[in-house]
Amino acid sequence: MHSAVFLIEFGAIILGLGLLGRLAGRFSFSPIPLYLLAGLAFGKGGLLPLGTSEEFVAIGAEIGVILLLLMLGLEYTASDLVSNLKTQYPAGLVDFALNALPGAAAALLLGWGPVAAVVLAGVTWISSSGVIAKVLGDLGRLGNRETPVILSILVLEDLAMAVYLPIITALLAGVGLAAGSATLAIALGVAGAVLFVAVRYGRLISRFVSSDDPEKLLLVVLGLTLLVAGVAQQLQVSAAVGAFLVGIALSGEVADGAHALLSPLRDLFAAVFFVFFGLHTDPASIPPVILPALALAVVTALTKIATGHWAARRAGIGTKGRWRAGGTLVARGEFSIVIAGLAVTAGVQPQLGPFATAYVLILVVIGPLTARYTEPIATYLLRGRGPKPSAPDGMTVRGPETGPEPETEAETEAVRAREPGSEAVRAREPGSEAVRVPEPGSEAVRAREPGSEAVRVPEPGSEAVRARESEAETVRAREPGSEGVRVPEPGSASERA
């Protein structure tokens, strides 16, 4: 009986998610907000609470986050990760300053104390990698030029969690400086070791995982990802960071094959994750804290947009790409809930849990909306601020001196073909085959010299001269006064006729 109820509940959840996904697809809308609202409706205090399948849904939700980060890691190589971290670390500092400090200030203004301030700073600082990964896939932006900037910020945040979570755990537990330092050192060592292995031995790992049999490839990749994620979490490092680094370590055909095999599983468990988030939110606890949570959500949504815009501008992305990067970073989610859950368990501030839940729920609902509509709204509002040079469709203009900025990889290749030093430009440079001046004595020059066949003057009586004389006779015959066009005289036979 217990298994039958479980199957009914879980089957109803999956079927409902499928119908909501079809509804969202019909209106070209991300299904994430609908998944969250469904979780609220069937969670604690909702319309029809579910209990039997709750434990399985919790495990599925954790697997969903791991698969989302694994698929993100498969999109980039280890060299891409290192180069992005080297170039984008200033964006990580700006991200911390603009988004963590408002959370800390809000906790102090509400009178919750310094420990709660550190907790709420983490809640407002970290964007939701799971939500953003799903939104990028839904909107088809994984190939856009601003996407590496977005992922760099997310990776910096996830890696920062390897430092932040041990610190917050030590603060909440009230342990001494020595114990807290040991926990932090272990976390940093594990994260550094996994990153080193991914960068240094990525090819060996790919060779070990590679298989021509799709079934074996799926089992090995999935098992390795869950194993590394579990070990990382056991050592106080984020499981999401471990899964992301596994994806980074895989490359080439292995990454392509794993991406194709794991995409359906990612979609299934990611949807379960968003439902699980709603299931553990009691709607009755939200109204008392909704106004301060809404105010903080508005402030930090604007600061996230400013963060993404600044980072994309620093990377040389066009104007539209800057706004898209900022709007995509707005959503908060899994890390914020984890941080708030640690504080609630430690009994720091009773209102911190409902406040964080309302805050995250607001931003996780409007996050997909800002990702989709920030760029067109900003373009509309800024349209009348002075004339701007026109650009082809799908491209933006950075300024009158720089020309159109490509937004996708195809446009980038087209621009590279026109850059100085490219094959197309070298073909038109002086000295190239296309524009080379014929040398004296060459075939091209001899053909144009006096006496050559091309410029030889026809001799009198030749075929060419007689043909031209015949043409001249025909022209004279049609001139006024000639026999062919002579006007009849008055009184002549032609005139009388």
Side-chain angles (χ1 to χ4, degrees):
M1 183 64 181
H2 180 77
S3 61
V5 175
F6 165 76
L7 292 176
I8 292 173
E9 287 188 355
F10 192 67
I13 292 174
I14 300 300
L15 177 60
L17 293 177
L19 296 176
L20 290 175
R22 292 178 62 180
L23 177 64
R26 177 167 297 182
F27 294 98
S28 300
F29 184 76
S30 176
I32 293 175
L34 299 182
Y35 295 161
L36 290 168
L37 294 176
L40 281 175
F42 296 100
K44 299 177 180 178
L47 300 176
L48 184 61
L50 303 177
T52 306
S53 59
E54 182 177 349
E55 184 177 355
F56 183 82
V57 170
I59 297 174
E62 191 168 355
I63 295 175
V65 175
I66 291 172
L67 289 178
L68 283 170
L69 271 296
L70 170 65
M71 300 298 280
L72 270 181
L74 291 174
E75 297 289 338
Y76 296 92
T77 63
S79 59
D80 293 333
L81 173 64
V82 174
S83 62
N84 285 335
L85 291 178
K86 288 181 179 178
T87 57
Q88 294 298 330
Y89 75 90
L93 298 177
V94 172
D95 181 32
F96 171 78
L98 291 182
N99 299 285
L101 296 182
L108 294 176
L109 290 175
L110 293 172
W112 291 350
V115 176
V118 176
V119 172
L120 197 55
V123 172
T124 59
W125 173 21
I126 305 300
S127 297
S128 172
S129 301
V131 174
I132 292 172
K134 186 72 168 65
V135 168
L136 288 174
D138 291 341
L139 298 179
R141 294 180 181 175
L142 290 176
N144 282 23
R145 294 188 71 241
E146 73 273 5
T147 300
V149 177
I150 297 171
L151 296 180
S152 298
I153 294 175
L154 294 178
V155 172
L156 288 171
E157 291 179 349
D158 290 343
L159 293 177
M161 285 296 96
V163 179
Y164 176 81
L165 287 178
I167 293 175
I168 195 65
T169 302
L171 287 176
L172 294 174
V175 298
L177 179 61
S181 299
T183 303
L184 178 59
I186 293 173
L188 292 177
V190 172
V194 174
L195 181 59
F196 174 79
V197 170
V199 174
R200 187 70 178 270
Y201 302 103
R203 292 184 180 180
L204 295 178
I205 296 174
S206 297
R207 191 178 304 170
F208 168 75
V209 173
S210 178
S211 175
D212 295 332
D213 188 346
E215 178 183 355
K216 296 176 182 176
L217 179 62
L218 173 64
L219 293 175
V220 172
V221 173
L222 183 59
L224 178 63
T225 303
L226 295 177
L227 177 63
V228 173
V231 172
Q233 189 167 358
Q234 187 70 24
L235 296 173
Q236 304 299 321
V237 182
S238 168
V241 172
F244 182 84
L245 294 176
V246 170
I248 289 291
L250 302 179
S251 60
E253 295 181 359
V254 175
D256 296 337
H259 193 283
L261 292 172
L262 291 170
S263 292
L265 286 176
R266 174 202 59 186
D267 295 338
L268 170 63
F269 286 105
V272 172
F273 161 72
F274 298 121
V275 171
F276 175 77
F277 183 80
L279 287 174
H280 282 258
T281 302
D282 186 0
S285 64
I286 295 178
V289 294
I290 190 65
L291 290 180
L294 179 60
L296 185 59
V298 171
V299 171
T300 52
L302 295 176
T303 55
K304 274 292 182 182
I305 292 174
T307 300
H309 188 281
W310 184 88
R313 181 180 180 180
R314 181 176 176 274
I317 308 301
T319 304
K320 292 184 178 180
R322 299 171 195 172
W323 290 115
R324 286 197 297 266
T328 305
L329 289 170
V330 167
R332 271 68 159 188
E334 59 274 8
F335 271 132
S336 299
I337 294 300
V338 169
I339 295 169
L342 292 175
V344 171
T345 302
V348 173
Q349 175 57 241
Q351 289 184 320
L352 184 58
F355 183 90
T357 300
Y359 170 81
V360 172
L361 184 61
I362 292 170
L363 289 182
V364 83
V365 169
I366 70 171
L369 301 178
T370 59
R372 185 179 182 89
Y373 297 111
T374 297
E375 180 261 316
I377 291 175
T379 302
Y380 175 79
L381 294 177
L382 300 176
R383 184 179 299 171
R385 296 192 177 182
K388 294 182 180 180
S390 59
D393 293 340
M395 302 175 72
T396 57
V397 176
R398 289 189 293 176
E401 75 285 352
T402 57
E405 173 71 19
E407 299 291 349
T408 64
E409 292 296 332
E411 293 167 359
T412 303
E413 292 296 330
V415 171
R416 287 199 195 103
R418 297 192 293 270
E419 291 179 349
S422 64
E423 293 292 334
V425 172
R426 287 199 300 270
R428 295 191 294 270
E429 291 178 351
S432 66
E433 294 293 333
V435 298
R436 184 171 293 165
V437 179
E439 298 178 358
S442 64
E443 292 291 334
V445 172
R446 287 199 299 271
R448 292 194 291 270
E449 290 178 350
S452 65
E453 294 294 331
V455 298
R456 185 172 293 163
V457 180
E459 298 179 358
S462 64
E463 293 286 339
V465 171
R466 287 199 297 273
R468 290 172 185 166
E469 289 176 351
S470 176
E471 292 175 359
E473 291 292 335
T474 304
V475 172
R476 285 198 297 272
R478 288 196 288 270
E479 291 179 352
S482 65
E483 293 294 331
V485 295
R486 185 172 293 166
V487 179
E489 297 180 359
S492 64
S494 299
E495 176 66 21
R496 288 196 301 270

